């Protein structure tokens, strides 16, 4: 069993333990992996995409208002270093469609325009070199927080590190050195973003 499979099995258990069996079962009945075409396009665009993310997408192709069997699904699937704060997994197609989204609004962070906004020193300061994979949005449609895999770190960062953008107050932080470590962090934290309250809110 690879880490993506372990992650999904653990997430299912977290749903069951917090009264979300019905919600998970309904999702499990309709979910499927990403299409071969989308996966190939994702690999072509991001040659260094981690195997664990691809393996995750082979199991479930997104939970962010993703249409499965004529039904739109919004299922809490990921977390971050922000305790108990839930996120959705984007589909392979959504990852492709939002590949340049950060450039349209995040230049002030990369250019370090404001001294009072913390930006991790592992993040590069050249917008032209920026190469990020946007894989997750937070529960309020991404307005407060988004997650990225960074393939263009600074000399003090690591290629493939996972970044978390937070808005109001703004912050750009490295939360894991790679995607495997990121998934392991969520498992070690016992999927703390899944609770009876969070499940009830999204029923």
């Amino acid at each position: 069993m690879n880490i993506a499979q372990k992650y999904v099995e653990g997430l299912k258990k977290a749903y069951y333990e917090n009264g979300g069996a019905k919600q998970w079962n309904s999702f499990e009945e309709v979910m499927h992996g990403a299409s071969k075409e989308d996966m190939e396009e994702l690999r072509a665009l991001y040659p260094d995409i981690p195997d664990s993310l691809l393996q995750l997408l082979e199991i479930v192709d997104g939970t962010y208002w993703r249409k499965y069997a004529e039904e739109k699904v919004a299922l809490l699937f990921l977390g971050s270093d922000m305790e108990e704060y839930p996120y959705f997994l984007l589909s392979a197609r959504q990852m492709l469609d939002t590949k340049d989204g950060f450039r349209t609004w995040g230049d002030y962070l990369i250019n370090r325009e404001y001294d009072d906004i913390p930006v991790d020193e592992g993040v590069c300061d050249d917008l032209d070199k920026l190469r990020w994979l946007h894989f997750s949005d937070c529960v309020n449609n991404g307005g407060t927080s988004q997650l990225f895999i960074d393939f263009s770190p600074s000399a003090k960062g690591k290629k493939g590190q996972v970044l978390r953008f937070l808005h109001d107050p703004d912050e750009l932080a490295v939360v894991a050195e790679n995607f495997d470590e990121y998934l392991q962090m969520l498992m070690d934290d016992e999927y703390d973003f899944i609770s009876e309250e969070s499940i009830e809110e999204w029923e």
Side-chain angles (χ1 to χ4, degrees):
M1 187 180 290
N2 60 46
I3 192 170
Q5 292 168 324
K6 289 178 182 177
Y7 180 83
V8 174
E9 284 300 309
L11 181 60
K12 177 178 181 177
K13 183 180 178 183
Y15 267 89
Y16 272 59
E17 290 177 345
N18 287 278
K22 181 179 178 181
Q23 187 180 16
W24 180 268
N25 289 342
S26 296
F27 173 64
E28 198 171 51
E29 286 179 5
V30 298
M31 76 177 191
H32 56 72
S35 70
K36 180 182 177 181
E37 293 76 18
D38 284 350
M39 292 286 271
E40 288 178 350
E41 192 174 342
L42 204 55
R43 287 191 186 97
L45 186 62
Y46 299 103
D48 297 311
I49 187 171
D51 289 340
S52 49
L53 177 55
L54 292 172
Q55 290 160 357
L56 200 59
L57 289 169
E58 287 173 353
I59 300 170
V60 50
D61 188 28
T63 68
Y64 185 43
W65 301 112
R66 172 67 162 87
K67 194 173 184 180
Y68 290 102
E70 304 306 315
E71 177 185 351
K72 278 193 174 181
V73 172
L75 187 93
L76 307 179
F77 198 84
L78 296 169
S80 73
D81 60 323
M82 295 167 59
E83 187 177 356
E84 300 180 357
Y85 197 75
Y87 292 73
F88 301 113
L89 172 68
L90 270 61
S91 69
R93 175 48 52 188
Q94 287 170 325
M95 293 178 194
L96 291 164
D97 289 345
T98 61
K99 66 182 179 67
D100 294 319
F102 185 83
R103 291 174 179 271
T104 65
W105 55 266
D107 55 335
Y108 69 100
L109 291 162
I110 302 305
N111 295 330
R112 280 37 170 206
E113 292 180 16
Y114 305 101
D115 293 336
D116 58 339
I117 297 180
V119 177
D120 193 285
E121 62 182 5
V123 176
C124 78
D125 59 2
D126 188 341
L127 199 63
D128 292 333
K129 293 180 179 178
L130 207 68
R131 191 156 187 78
W132 291 4
L133 190 165
H134 173 211
F135 70 90
S136 180
D137 277 354
C138 68
V139 290
N140 67 342
N141 295 326
T144 298
S145 187
Q146 296 182 333
L147 300 175
F148 304 87
I149 298 176
D150 178 10
F151 300 112
S152 54
S154 73
K156 295 184 178 180
K158 291 195 174 183
K159 191 174 186 178
Q161 63 194 6
V162 176
L163 307 178
R164 187 253 304 142
F165 163 73
L166 179 68
H167 175 58
D168 196 20
D170 286 10
E171 180 184 34
L172 193 54
V174 174
V175 300
E177 291 189 355
N178 54 63
F179 194 75
D180 285 36
E181 184 180 291
Y182 162 72
L183 290 181
Q184 190 62 54
M185 174 185 74
L186 301 183
M187 290 190 285
D188 290 344
D189 289 341
E190 299 180 337
Y191 304 86
D192 65 8
F193 56 92
I194 298 297
S195 64
E196 291 183 9
E197 292 78 14
S198 62
I199 289 173
E200 286 176 3
E201 185 176 347
W202 285 94
E203 277 185 331

